[in-house]
Amino acid sequence: MRIHESSSPFRDGFTWFRITEPDTPRDLDPVFILHGGPGMAHDYVRNLDRLADLTGRTVVHYDQIGCGRSSHHPDAPADHWTPQLFVDEFHALREHLGIDTYHVLGQSWGGMLGAEIAVRRPQGLRGLMICNSPASMPLWTSEAARLRVDLPVATRYALDIHEADGTTDHPDYVAATQVFYERHVCRVVPTPQDFVDSEQQMLADPTVYHTMNGPNEFHVIGTLREWSVIDRLPSIDVPTLVVAGEFDEATPATWRPFVESIPDARSHVFRDASHCVHLEQPDEFLGVIAEHLAGRP
């Protein structure tokens, strides 16, 4: 694989990107990888660069504005951080790279962003892969509450009491959060370094994550708390693959609207996996993605 890193201008900042080209390129549309968070940076999905040699396609990673190696804007008002901002950033980067036709793979928030891109029917979009993502945040929070019921009593108590007190930075709350994460976010022990790197850079500047999402994956009190794309899904007009893990915090109730409402959509569930299937079962995950892309431009 050949790797090139640089940045492109976007509004009053810049977007850092990483391009991976296969050793044996084919005349096929590239794949953009959209990371989650919002604000988690690309590190934890870096291993998807293997798609380059698996499929013969160029793979484009980038850190969305406000996180990672892209420009940070900690003083921006809360209403600055909207889905439309990130849709605009995606197209600004795509145009900077001179890419007219492409596929999009989004993980978690990245899948939500991918859906936001796709419902606008951009002319060059050839396919969409939504990985471990909800179609609405009310569904997400409802299902998170259901999953919390099965946590140990002491864990539930720590979560409830510190959320009520607004002390979500307390060590007991952080420890209780980790119990949820080990069940439903990443089941690999110890946590893979790429995930740790994404998490650490988010904690160093949590502006985007805390503003749009909240203090963690299941206590969603940010500006995305009422977000939904469900009523717009029928407008997506490209082949769509929806994947999730058996123990994913993105439960079937959260992603089923994608499959039911997108005209050309299919789903795949990975057994004994959670939210970060690509880290837990990388070969199986990449195989399913490569199979989906096979035979497509």
Side-chain angles (χ1 to χ4, degrees):
M1 298 185 295
R2 300 183 300 277
I3 296 172
H4 168 68
E5 297 179 358
S6 189
S7 62
S8 65
F10 178 63
R11 298 188 182 179
D12 58 344
F14 61 90
T15 301
W16 176 92
F17 62 85
R18 181 176 187 260
I19 296 176
T20 304
E21 296 180 333
D23 289 332
T24 307
R26 300 167 61 193
D27 186 20
L28 296 169
D29 294 325
V31 180
F32 282 87
I33 308 297
L34 311 183
H35 67 71
M40 285 292 287
H42 89 288
D43 303 73
Y44 81 102
V45 289
R46 193 201 319 264
N47 70 340
L48 300 188
D49 61 5
R50 290 174 54 196
L51 284 170
D53 280 342
L54 277 174
T55 67
R57 299 174 187 268
T58 294
V59 175
V60 182
H61 285 85
Y62 69 99
D63 286 345
Q64 295 158 26
I65 198 154
C67 75
R69 300 152 190 80
S70 293
S71 58
H72 289 229
H73 305 269
D75 298 324
D79 61 6
H80 175 76
W81 305 107
T82 65
Q84 186 63 54
L85 172 74
F86 295 99
V87 172
D88 292 345
E89 180 191 26
F90 168 79
H91 286 297
L93 173 61
R94 179 186 59 74
E95 291 170 4
H96 174 82
L97 296 175
I99 296 174
D100 296 322
T101 54
Y102 52 91
H103 295 264
V104 165
L105 184 157
Q107 199 277 337
S108 195
W109 149 254
M112 298 158 62
L113 175 57
E116 285 281 359
I117 292 168
V119 297
R120 291 159 171 79
R121 291 189 172 183
Q123 187 173 4
L125 181 63
R126 294 293 181 258
L128 176 64
M129 290 154 281
I130 297 173
C131 307
N132 321 95
S133 310
S136 92
M137 290 307 276
L139 282 176
W140 176 273
T141 53
S142 173
E143 286 296 286
R146 185 178 64 80
L147 293 174
R148 281 171 61 153
V149 171
D150 293 329
L151 296 175
V153 173
T155 301
R156 297 202 313 267
Y157 177 79
L159 294 175
D160 292 342
I161 196 70
H162 289 294
E163 287 171 1
D165 291 346
T167 52
T168 55
D169 58 349
H170 191 281
D172 290 348
Y173 184 82
V174 174
T177 297
Q178 191 61 31
V179 175
F180 183 94
Y181 280 20
E182 289 173 356
R183 290 189 179 196
H184 301 297
V185 178
C186 185
R187 295 165 72 88
V188 179
V189 179
T191 304
Q193 189 60 47
D194 283 347
F195 187 96
V196 172
D197 291 344
S198 279
E199 187 174 51
Q200 288 302 313
Q201 70 78 33
M202 183 276 290
L203 292 172
D205 179 7
T207 302
V208 181
Y209 188 80
H210 284 183
T211 300
M212 297 184 74
N213 187 80
N216 57 48
E217 291 292 282
F218 51 83
H219 187 44
V220 180
I221 56 176
T223 58
L224 282 177
R225 62 187 177 277
E226 299 300 329
W227 176 87
S228 176
V229 74
I230 293 175
D231 62 344
R232 294 174 284 157
L233 291 176
S235 67
I236 295 179
D237 59 357
V238 295
T240 301
L241 173 67
V242 180
V243 305
E246 179 183 6
F247 302 109
D248 205 325
E249 59 180 339
T251 66
T254 70
W255 53 258
R256 190 174 294 118
F258 290 126
V259 181
E260 294 176 344
S261 299
I262 297 174
D264 185 7
R266 67 181 186 89
S267 63
H268 182 92
V269 175
F270 292 87
R271 295 308 226 175
D272 198 30
S274 66
H275 196 56
C276 290
V277 179
H278 66 284
L279 294 175
E280 299 167 352
Q281 300 177 14
D283 292 341
E284 294 85 348
F285 180 88
L286 290 166
V288 168
I289 298 299
E291 180 182 4
H292 175 73
L293 288 168
R296 305 187 190 279

